[in-house]
Amino acid sequence: MKSTVLEGKGLCKTFANGQVATNVIRNLDVEIYNGDFTVIMGTSGAGKSTLLYMLSGIDTITAGEINLMDSRIDKLKEKKMAKIRRNDIGFVFQEANLLEDFTVFENIAMPGYLVSKNRKEVNDRTDILLEEVNMLDHKNKYPSQLSGGQKQRVAIIRSLINKPNVLFADEPTGALNATQSKAVLDLLTGVHEKGQSILMVTHDIAAASRANRLLYIKDGKIDGILEFDQFEVEDIKDREKQVFDFIMKRGW
Ligand SMILES: Nc1ncnc2c1ncn2[C@@H]1O[C@H](COP(=O)(O)OP(=O)(O)OP(=O)(O)O)[C@@H](O)[C@H]1O
Ligand SMILES: [Mg+2]
């Protein structure tokens, strides 16, 4: 049986705009399992990013409870939360957000130095991660010298430097062309196959088909769940059709 790595109970999020309050997430329960590649889908404005930011501790919750590896994280003071963000979670956004004044190598290693005193270990791991994405030759380049897809692969391995319990990704292929997207998805699939838990928001059916579990968000709640076996390249067309049918049925 799978263990739970992340859990949200009775989650609510309300945004107040002057006199108007919008309930974006409404009493939502969710469990994310260890080693799963979980995807969140839903129409634009459904609250996918909001949910991802709540579960990762980037944003506060209005009500409910969040447990990461059996520790409650939603009531922590900022300093403790910052430590969890640094040590236990990885986050990747649509834009790579690399530091332009630092090399590829430095961008990846720096969050590692913040957590580990063993610089050599961090440096070695940085090289290993770069090697895994065939980018060791680019280690001394600056972000401006990379393509969009290369930048995003660097952002992903940077988020893995401290071996996070969960890798969160909000539309990581949203700004990429088809070829670049495929390289990023192949990287995420490879990372998942090594046991990394991933929670990713996407609009893209090809991206969603890499997951083994899909959650559809509607009206602030989970409206449906679709589950797959381990990803096999030859099954991709069939999976994409199943994802398409799944989201169409829910008003995509
Ligand atoms: N900081 C904020 N203040 C007020 N309203 C917000 C804020 N952030 C999000 N919202 C509102 O919450 C709703 C959900 O937004 P969210 O960004 O989570 O949607 P999403 O599902 O990620 O959409 P998309 O697919 O377009 O990225 C939207 O109606 C949005 O306008
Ligand atoms: Mg969003």
Side-chain angles (χ1 to χ4, degrees):
M1 233 200 61
K2 279 181 178 167
S3 59
T4 301
V5 64
L6 179 68
E7 177 189 39
K9 280 197 229 169
L11 292 179
C12 298
K13 182 76 181 179
T14 305
F15 288 112
N17 273 328
Q19 299 293 320
V20 188
T22 318
N23 300 314
V24 175
I25 302 294
R26 304 162 185 239
N27 198 19
L28 180 150
D29 294 317
V30 63
E31 270 186 277
I32 304 300
Y33 301 112
N34 223 332
D36 267 9
F37 188 162
T38 310
V39 152
I40 298 174
M41 296 192 89
T43 53
S44 181
K48 304 179 297 295
S49 297
T50 302
L51 178 62
L52 204 65
Y53 297 163
M54 290 162 81
L55 289 171
S56 58
I58 289 182
D59 199 357
T60 57
I61 65 178
T62 308
E65 179 177 336
I66 296 170
N67 298 299
L68 176 66
M69 304 290 287
D70 295 327
S71 301
R72 189 157 175 186
I73 61 164
D74 57 278
K75 289 245 184 305
L76 296 178
K77 296 258 186 326
E78 182 46 38
K79 215 171 161 181
K80 282 205 167 144
M81 198 58 231
K83 190 172 174 208
I84 286 182
R85 277 199 293 267
R86 218 166 40 225
N87 295 27
D88 302 323
I89 76 153
F91 212 110
V92 182
F93 297 89
Q94 186 164 333
E95 301 294 333
N97 300 323
L98 302 176
L99 300 170
E100 296 294 332
D101 295 335
F102 293 90
T103 64
V104 163
F105 184 90
E106 289 165 341
N107 265 283
I108 299 161
M110 277 188 306
Y113 301 149
L114 296 176
V115 168
S116 165
K117 292 206 164 53
N118 189 336
R119 280 181 88 93
K120 180 168 183 319
E121 207 172 78
V122 174
N123 291 344
D124 289 348
R125 181 162 162 78
T126 302
D127 278 339
I128 289 169
L129 288 166
L130 278 165
E131 177 79 60
E132 279 174 9
V133 292
N134 283 324
M135 286 192 60
L136 205 49
D137 293 347
H138 302 280
K139 68 189 266 186
N140 295 320
K141 285 190 179 168
Y142 287 86
S144 60
Q145 297 170 291
L146 303 181
S147 73
Q150 288 172 330
K151 279 189 215 175
Q152 195 60 309
R153 280 183 281 151
V154 171
I156 292 169
I157 58 177
R158 175 181 62 177
S159 78
L160 296 174
I161 189 73
N162 293 321
K163 303 185 178 167
N165 293 123
V166 183
L167 168 57
F168 294 89
D170 192 0
E171 311 241 20
T173 60
L176 304 178
N177 68 32
T179 314
Q180 293 170 335
S181 286
K182 186 175 176 303
V184 163
L185 294 174
D186 287 345
L187 167 56
L188 290 172
T189 298
V191 166
H192 171 224
E193 279 168 357
K194 289 201 185 99
Q196 176 68 52
S197 309
I198 303 174
L199 182 57
M200 173 174 85
V201 167
T202 187
H203 277 114
D204 178 26
I205 289 174
S209 301
R210 300 301 184 108
N212 64 289
R213 190 157 171 263
L214 272 81
L215 313 175
Y216 193 86
I217 306 289
K218 190 172 165 182
D219 299 329
K221 288 196 176 167
I222 295 178
D223 186 53
I225 298 179
L226 179 66
E227 288 184 282
F228 289 123
D229 299 329
Q230 193 72 18
F231 179 77
E232 304 290 346
V233 177
E234 54 271 25
D235 298 339
I236 186 78
K237 284 286 163 249
D238 175 54
R239 283 168 85 124
E240 288 180 357
K241 183 170 181 318
Q242 287 190 56
V243 173
F244 181 78
D245 291 347
F246 169 72
I247 61 178
M248 288 309 276
K249 257 191 210 133
R250 289 174 175 76
W252 177 262

